[in-house]
Amino acid sequence: REGWAHVAELAPLVMQAAAGGDQVAAGICDAAAAELCESVCAVASKLRLGQVEHAFPLVMAGGVLSQGSEIATRLVARLTEALPAAQPTWADCSPAVGAAMLARRMAEQSQGDHAEGEGCL
């Protein structure tokens, strides 16, 4: 594999090394968390969530953002300062399943059927 796919395959190894005390790996995890924090803050700004007085859920999904991972821990710490209304939460299903369930729920609501389906979020 080449490009980003190859880099993504290395993420678990980098996080494992960071957890073991490797300073270079920790720096990589810090940089990744900083980039993700910037992205989250940019989206929150566009949605005007940064101006919200009430907490809002921020679903953490994907391999590098699994609960307790080196990058997720660093990201949550940064978000606590940058976007205090965000309440990180972890989905109990895969992002693809969650998206499919959300699409189904939206389709049902647009047809006038407001029955609540089982959700994972």
Side-chain angles (χ1 to χ4, degrees):
R1 289 188 177 202
E2 294 185 26
W4 286 110
H6 180 67
V7 172
E9 288 176 349
L10 299 174
L13 297 174
V14 172
M15 289 190 294
Q16 183 179 14
D22 185 291
Q23 294 303 308
V24 173
I28 293 169
C29 290
D30 285 337
E35 292 289 328
L36 288 168
C37 185
E38 280 186 34
S39 295
V40 169
C41 288
V43 171
S45 176
K46 289 284 185 187
L47 297 174
R48 298 184 182 176
L49 292 174
Q51 303 167 0
V52 173
E53 295 176 6
H54 303 289
F56 63 90
L58 177 65
V59 179
M60 310 283 270
V64 298
L65 295 179
S66 61
Q67 194 164 11
S69 77
E70 290 295 315
I71 294 174
T73 300
R74 287 167 166 78
L75 175 58
V76 168
R78 287 178 178 275
L79 288 171
T80 298
E81 292 184 28
L83 199 57
Q87 298 295 306
T89 185
W90 283 263
D92 56 3
C93 63
S94 75
V97 170
M101 294 175 76
L102 180 60
R104 180 179 138 216
R105 187 177 307 148
M106 290 174 69
E108 288 173 350
Q109 288 176 350
S110 71
Q111 294 173 356
D113 181 8
H114 297 287
E116 290 293 318
E118 291 183 21
C120 67
L121 301 176

